[in-house]
Amino acid sequence: MSGLLRRSSHLAIGTAVGQGLVVLASAVLARVYGPAEFGALALLMTVTALGSTAGAARLDVAIPSADDGDVAPLVTAAALVAAGAASAVALGVWLLPRPEWLAPLRDTASLPVLLGTGVFLAAMYQVAGAYLLRLHDTRHVGLMRAAQGAVFATAAFSTAIGLLWAHALAFGVGLIGLVSIARTVGRTPLTSTPSRTALGATLREHWRLPALSLPGALCDALAVSQCVWIISDVFGSTQLGIYGQTQRLLGAPLLLASASLGQVLLRRTAELRDDPAGLEATLSRVLRGMLAASAVGLAVLAVVGPDAFALLLGERWRPSLTMLLAVGVAVASRATVSPLSSVLVTYRRYGLTFAWQAAYLLSSAIVLRLISTRTTFDGFMIAFAAHEAVAYVVYLLLIRRAVAGAGPATAASTVAR
């Protein structure tokens, strides 16, 4: 457990530094840009989130457990897929009619190039993190996350670059880190280009884990984006900007820290795959810690939240207490349960994971859309928080059931490597 905490602390510190720089910069950026500009940023963030999730077709998830000789072909294949996905997004935005939820971005110059660049860099950022994690190099992953926040905070001050390009370009630190570490450290031979034969053989060896995880991960990312798209479509860019800024300052650090813990837990659950009792004890300790931290955080939000936001960003950015607590509950629900889902990968419960993710997407798209047309913005936020809490309680119950029914024979040998 101490090793788990030590490795996750590297990622958490890097995340805290990067997001801390964003928070500090936001006190000024909120006075340079208005809610409408931050609403456009919230929409772009959903696109880059999809790029992070599916831009490399989830080939990055195979990198931590791959043999040394398979790493270079996997990274190359991921880069080629990311370039193809980015080109498809740019071409689609250029040629096809744009949906209503993209309205806040309609006046953005070079929008196809912006979205394509964001998808590619976000995908390669994930690949870089996966490559470093296979080396147990959590320090450099933390450094990469700190640098991402620093690049955004610095570039966004230039109105010539703007919020949107600053966000997209900040993911470039992953690509720079991947190239520089491969060349200077040389722990994996990424400097040579694999042959077509090597690429094909590696993909045939490792296709199952990415392919099985891709549909569910895509469902999850689309479900998370529903709230942003609905607010943009129904309540307008100003409300979206305030929500997006609240979500960014409040939710992004916690969710990134949660993702860091989940990446480390993926390795830990593989180590404990033949010891369900020990695995359940580890997950229970993590769950209790996350619940305690969430309770403290929500209590602080209830007391000082709106005033703290207004003091930091200015009065026009003051969120209602209802919205602030709703975002807090939603984020805490996701951040508490999501890291524990690594056990479903270890025990190859892909069908169970996908069933929940598909139901979560369907529920988000239908329930939240119906509620949005029948209530006020605060009422919608309450419904959103309740929806997230219920969905993740169900997910937690499914995870605990999977652990309780697990045995040595059900463990995933692919993850154990």
Side-chain angles (χ1 to χ4, degrees), residues 71 96 107 273 299 309 406:
V71 175
L96 300 176
D107 297 327
R273 68 192 187 281
F309 269 72

Side-chain angles (χ1 to χ4, degrees), residues 6-143:
R6 185 179 64 255
R7 292 193 295 270
S8 62
S9 69
H10 297 151
L11 307 183
I13 290 171
T15 299
V17 171
Q19 291 302 313
L21 292 172
V22 171
V23 170
L24 293 174
S26 294
V28 178
L29 293 175
R31 292 164 172 81
V32 176
Y33 303 97
E37 287 88 350
F38 275 92
L41 175 62
L43 289 176
L44 177 61
M45 290 173 68
T46 65
V47 176
T48 54
L50 289 170
S52 297
T53 300
R58 300 285 285 174
L59 289 171
D60 53 289
V61 304
I63 292 173
S65 60
D67 293 331
D68 289 344
D70 292 339
V71 175
L74 280 172
V75 172
T76 301
L80 292 173
V81 171
S87 299
V89 168
L91 189 62
V93 173
W94 182 42
L95 295 177
L96 300 176
R98 297 173 188 173
E100 285 300 318
W101 60 265
L102 274 178
L105 289 170
R106 66 162 59 97
D107 297 327
T108 303
S110 304
L111 181 60
V113 177
L114 171 66
L115 297 184
T117 301
V119 167
F120 177 74
L121 293 180
M124 294 309 297
Y125 183 87
Q126 292 298 110
V127 173
Y131 165 55
L132 292 171
L133 283 173
R134 76 164 276 105
L135 303 174
H136 299 284
D137 195 351
T138 52
R139 289 184 178 87
H140 276 96
V141 180
L143 181 61

Side-chain angles (χ1 to χ4, degrees), residues 27-402:
V28 178
L29 293 175
R31 292 164 172 81
V32 176
Y33 303 97
E37 287 88 350
F38 275 92
L41 175 62
L43 289 176
L44 177 61
M45 290 173 68
T46 65
V47 176
T48 54
L50 289 170
S52 297
T53 300
R58 300 285 285 174
L59 289 171
D60 53 289
V61 304
I63 292 173
S65 60
D67 293 331
D68 289 344
D70 292 339
V71 175
L74 280 172
V75 172
T76 301
L80 292 173
V81 171
S87 299
V89 168
L91 189 62
V93 173
W94 182 42
L95 295 177
L96 300 176
R98 297 173 188 173
E100 285 300 318
W101 60 265
L102 274 178
L105 289 170
R106 66 162 59 97
D107 297 327
T108 303
S110 304
L111 181 60
V113 177
L114 171 66
L115 297 184
T117 301
V119 167
F120 177 74
L121 293 180
M124 294 309 297
Y125 183 87
Q126 292 298 110
V127 173
Y131 165 55
L132 292 171
L133 283 173
R134 76 164 276 105
L135 303 174
H136 299 284
D137 195 351
T138 52
R139 289 184 178 87
H140 276 96
V141 180
L143 181 61
M144 189 174 70
R145 292 184 174 176
Q148 182 192 12
V151 170
F152 170 79
T154 302
F157 281 116
S158 170
T159 55
I161 298 176
L163 285 174
L164 303 183
W165 275 106
H167 173 72
L169 294 176
F171 285 101
V173 300
L175 188 59
I176 295 171
L178 183 66
V179 173
S180 64
I181 293 174
R183 289 185 179 275
T184 59
V185 180
R187 284 178 287 184
T188 301
L190 294 179
T191 54
S192 59
T193 303
S195 65
R196 292 184 181 179
T197 302
L199 284 174
T202 301
L203 290 176
R204 285 191 297 272
E205 172 71 18
H206 294 281
W207 70 270
R208 185 175 298 276
L209 181 59
L212 291 176
S213 66
L214 178 59
L218 193 57
C219 284
D220 196 35
L222 288 170
V224 171
S225 300
Q226 292 302 310
C227 184
V228 172
W229 296 346
I230 290 171
I231 293 174
S232 176
D233 191 23
V234 178
F235 299 105
S237 59
T238 297
Q239 291 283 29
L240 176 60
I242 297 173
Y243 167 80
Q245 186 74 315
T246 304
Q247 175 75 17
R248 184 177 182 84
L249 298 181
L250 179 63
L254 184 57
L255 290 176
L256 284 173
S258 172
S260 300
L261 179 59
Q263 288 174 320
V264 177
L265 272 176
L266 181 61
R267 191 83 179 187
R268 181 59 174 164
T269 55
E271 294 169 355
L272 293 173
R273 68 192 187 281
D274 295 329
D275 182 14
L279 179 56
E280 184 172 8
T282 297
L283 296 182
S284 295
R285 287 195 294 270
V286 173
L287 177 62
R288 288 195 298 269
M290 294 295 289
L291 286 174
S294 297
V296 172
L298 289 172
V300 172
L301 277 181
V303 175
V304 303
D307 291 335
F309 269 72
L311 179 64
L312 177 66
L313 304 177
E315 280 296 327
R316 65 174 174 169
W317 290 96
R318 178 186 290 271
S320 69
L321 180 59
T322 298
M323 189 194 79
L324 196 58
L325 289 177
V327 172
V329 169
V331 170
S333 300
R334 183 177 184 86
T336 298
V337 178
S338 289
L340 308 182
S341 65
S342 58
V343 73
L344 300 179
V345 177
T346 298
Y347 287 116
R348 285 186 173 179
R349 299 302 301 271
Y350 303 122
L352 181 63
T353 302
F354 178 67
W356 180 84
Q357 289 167 324
Y360 178 49
L361 171 59
L362 188 63
S363 176
S364 298
I366 295 176
V367 174
L368 295 182
R369 172 66 65 171
L370 288 175
I371 291 174
S372 70
T373 60
R374 292 167 170 79
T375 187
T376 63
F377 179 65
D378 278 353
F380 171 75
M381 292 307 302
I382 293 173
F384 167 64
H387 179 272
E388 294 296 287
V390 170
Y392 279 96
V393 166
V394 171
Y395 200 21
L396 177 61
L397 294 175
L398 293 175
I399 292 169
R400 296 186 72 90
R401 181 177 179 183

